[in-house]
Amino acid sequence: MQFEAETQGTPTLIDPFGRQIDYVRVSVTDRCDFRCFYCMAENMHFLPKKDILSLEELDRLCSAFVDQGVRRLRLTGGEPLVRKGILTLISSLSRHLDSGALDELTLTTNGSQLKRMAPELAAMGVKRINLSLDSLREDRFHSITRWGKFGSVMEGIEAALAAGIKLKLNMVALKGVNDDEFDDMIRFCHARGMDLTIIETMPLGEIDHDRLDLYLPLDQVKQQLAQSWTLSPSRHKTGGPATYMQIAETGGRIGFITPLTHNFCESCNRVRITCTGTLYMCLGQEDAVDLRAPLRASESNDLLVQEIRGAIARKPLGHDFVIDRENNRPSIGRHMSVTGG
Ligand code: SAM
Ligand code: SF4
């Protein structure tokens, strides 16, 4: 195939724009124990179990990507840690860390199960976790997550840090909801050696609220922060889409993910897979390839690898998110919990 390349005998996935795809995010479930109001409607309809990949299928799929040169795997959802048997899957995938085929096996989580699971995750080689927390005020946390338990998340944070896992907190900037908490969040994170990333809301999926009312461009957040902190650009990179700034007063870092104001597509190195095995080559585009059918069609991975390589050869240059102002509809109908954050 035209875009194939080989490094030292290991296949690599190169897209039509010469970008090496070595990072895969896999949603292991569409279910969640929270109902964050900007992410899900309160009465979500979840997928029937038969449509969801089994743990064995998820393992096979992830391993096929590793065989194709993927070096980083992030499990997400929904809430990945509420998937039954998740630790079995992570334990099994950690063989790729042991063999050196994988550089990183990581998670994005709401932290509700971490108190219980952090020691085992650390023992399985999970070194870094992204934890989503949009407020440090208990009452506000409840109105954002609807079903979340603030105390459990706080205990989860402490447990992960105690287990030696590096934490990065992700906070979605929500106008009129948590936009007075950036300073508190910086102090909270940096006092515990955690990075903080602020994320712009993305127009993904129908929710019970008006997305336009919530949208806060991060340029405004930066201006707000510059009044309290001395910010300087940082060259730090994590392989994700965030750009970082250093804060002189705390010595810590703050990241910004700005899908709407600044397109971060040109350096995109990743693809996403839903819990039903649909591969999205871009978070902000509808084009997708079904990997469940080739996975279930035969025990051999030949067909699966053929589909994966064909999909990467179709990866678009980027997305162009907009919130449709006239009709107030999201530009992409599927929820973040389906594609995986
Ligand atoms: N449940 C896990 C969690 O909350 O970390 C993992 C899945 S969640 C969909 C992943 C990330 O997506 C979270 O940080 C969440 O805040 C973010 N997210 C969800 N919907 C979003 C939206 N419409 N715009 C921006 N970020 C969103
Ligand atoms: Fe659940 Fe994460 Fe979505 Fe909140 S952001 S509802 S925790 S999937």
Side-chain angles (χ1 to χ4, degrees), residues 19 199-200 202 237 240-243 256-270 272 282-284 317-319 321:
R19 298 171 297 191
I199 305 176
E200 267 174 2
M202 292 175 243
K237 270 272 150 211
T243 56
F256 300 91
I257 299 186
T258 53
L260 273 80
T261 46
H262 298 285
N263 215 295
F264 48 53
C265 302
E266 51 302 336
S267 58
C268 183
N269 60 347
R270 74 203 75 108
R272 295 165 198 262
C282 172
L283 176 65
L317 185 56
H319 62 67
F321 277 134

Side-chain angles (χ1 to χ4, degrees), residues 32 38-39 76-80 108-110 132 134 170 172 199-202 204 211 336-337 341:
C32 187
Y38 59 83
C39 175
T76 177
E79 174 47 41
T108 302
T109 175
N110 63 27
S132 308
D134 303 318
N170 284 342
V172 176
I199 305 176
E200 267 174 2
T201 49
M202 292 175 243
L204 301 172
R211 289 212 183 269
M336 188 74 145
S337 54

Side-chain angles (χ1 to χ4, degrees), residues 279-291:
L279 173 67
Y280 282 96
M281 286 77 89
C282 172
L283 176 65
Q285 300 268 3
E286 301 285 7
D287 191 21
V289 170
D290 172 35
L291 297 180

